[in-house]
Amino acid sequence: VELQRDLRLALERGELELHYQPKVSGDGRTITGAEALARWRHPQRGLVSPAVFIPIAERFGLIGALGDWVIQQACTQVRQWLGQGLRVRVAINLSVHQLRQDDLVQRVQGAIDQHRIDPTLLTFEITESVAMEDAEGTLRTFERLSAIGVHLSIDDFGTGYSSLSYLRRLQAGQLKIDRAFVRDLESSADARAIVEAVVRLAHALGLKVVAEGVETAGQRDVLHALGCDELQGFLFARPMQPHLMALWAQGEG
Ligand code: G
Ligand code: G
Ligand code: NA
């Protein structure tokens, strides 16, 4: 109840922040972009995880405002980095609520226009299970988002229930393998077989593959050997504040 009330005020008070976690090429050598991850700097509780406050926002009708803020903030950041000579592709997470907004595409287009950014610098991540909740609706929304030039990614792939024929119809450019498979990669032959199959499937359908939750050099090497296109995880960097992200990107580039 307390957190719910506080969250209402957090947006106005500027207590929400976006942190950025780099994504790197399959060999781990070059930066390919960054995922924007919301954080709440609560005056008493310190940094609150989105795993805690996103469900609260969803339950109490705040997710619309929060989702808008994330899109606006990410576009502001992309523009600011461009001003510093940094061209960072940013991935933004979409909640189920946002995916069902009738005017989502206009909101995204509005932010792109307002901040004068190239739409191909933005990727929207939607989890497979959210996508499948209304599979036909997702197809239509992806078509419209794709038409304005942004990229689309299916997050936490392998935990939902999409079919091959559905994936073929969906205008997504990327699958993000769920971190559970990455975690077990070195200890489980099954996990390795699953990742191998997902990479083959994705490539056969013309999709790129990103692996998340990469924590060890061993995982990186297996993922690279299996043909993963991009990697993300603590092995490379944790989510960081924007100025640290910029330093990291410059150090890489
Ligand atoms: O960063 P962390 O691992 O604490 O994030 C926990 C969860 O919150 C992840 O599943 C992540 O996708 C989600 N999340 C982080 N930022 C956002 C956001 O801006 N919007 C939505 N909808 N989810 C987010
Ligand atoms: O599923 P999604 O891409 O939204 O998950 C992003 C979340 O995963 C981020 O909130 C981030 O804090 C967390 N994360 C990023 N890298 C790692 C990692 O290497 N290991 C673990 N356990 N979590 C990670
Ligand atoms: Na994500």
Side-chain angles (χ1 to χ4, degrees):
V1 177
E2 230 177 283
L3 269 184
Q4 171 202 344
R5 185 202 57 207
D6 291 356
L7 186 56
R8 239 174 247 288
L9 296 168
L11 276 166
E12 302 166 20
R13 292 177 176 164
E15 290 170 10
L16 293 180
E17 301 174 5
L18 286 184
H19 289 198
Y20 294 86
Q21 185 179 35
K23 296 184 188 183
V24 298
S25 54
D27 59 10
R29 285 171 193 267
T30 51
I31 182 170
T32 55
E35 178 175 4
L37 294 157
R39 299 285 183 263
W40 178 10
R41 202 171 286 283
H42 191 284
Q44 281 87 41
R45 294 170 194 241
L47 268 198
V48 181
S49 163
V52 173
F53 68 81
I54 300 269
I56 296 177
E58 278 169 349
R59 192 140 26 92
F60 297 104
L62 301 168
I63 193 73
L66 178 65
D68 282 347
W69 179 84
V70 170
I71 293 172
Q72 279 293 330
Q73 187 59 35
C75 290
T76 302
Q77 191 61 65
V78 168
R79 167 47 58 200
Q80 192 183 322
W81 280 332
L82 285 171
Q84 299 168 10
L86 279 176
R87 200 174 160 82
V88 184
R89 297 174 173 277
V90 167
I92 300 170
N93 291 287
L94 287 183
S95 65
V96 62
H97 172 91
Q98 288 174 292
L99 195 62
R100 303 291 167 251
Q101 279 173 335
D102 289 330
D103 58 354
L104 172 66
V105 179
Q106 288 93 306
R107 284 168 196 259
V108 171
Q109 183 72 62
I112 286 169
D113 292 344
Q114 186 186 334
H115 299 282
R116 294 171 293 110
I117 60 183
D118 176 353
T120 63
L121 288 176
L122 299 183
T123 298
F124 288 93
E125 297 190 359
I126 297 94
T127 66
E128 183 184 21
S129 47
V130 162
M132 294 309 292
E133 267 181 42
D134 172 12
E136 291 300 317
T138 300
L139 277 181
R140 287 191 299 272
T141 303
F142 270 38
E143 255 168 41
R144 296 174 58 217
L145 283 170
S146 176
I148 67 172
V150 299
H151 295 293
L152 296 160
S153 175
I154 305 295
D155 204 356
D156 299 343
F157 185 77
T159 58
Y161 300 93
S162 48
S163 66
L164 294 184
S165 64
Y166 183 74
L167 282 177
R168 206 158 66 88
R169 291 166 66 204
L170 197 62
Q171 297 278 333
Q174 184 181 92
L175 297 182
K176 207 166 173 183
I177 300 182
D178 191 75
R179 78 165 53 101
F181 302 118
V182 174
R183 186 190 55 219
D184 298 341
L185 209 48
E186 292 165 291
S187 58
S188 154
D190 286 350
R192 191 188 157 111
I194 289 168
V195 171
E196 190 167 8
V198 169
V199 172
R200 286 237 184 95
L201 160 70
H203 287 170
L205 294 172
L207 298 162
K208 300 277 188 199
V209 184
V210 183
E212 64 179 355
V214 182
E215 295 182 351
T216 70
Q219 291 165 348
R220 175 199 61 202
D221 293 344
V222 174
L223 290 163
H224 182 46
L226 294 179
C228 250
D229 302 286
E230 291 176 62
L231 310 175
Q232 180 182 348
F234 296 162
L235 175 67
F236 309 103
R238 295 194 168 249
M240 300 176 265
Q241 288 182 294
H243 66 284
L244 294 175
M245 179 65 225
L247 286 175
W248 200 90
Q250 278 157 343
E252 288 295 289

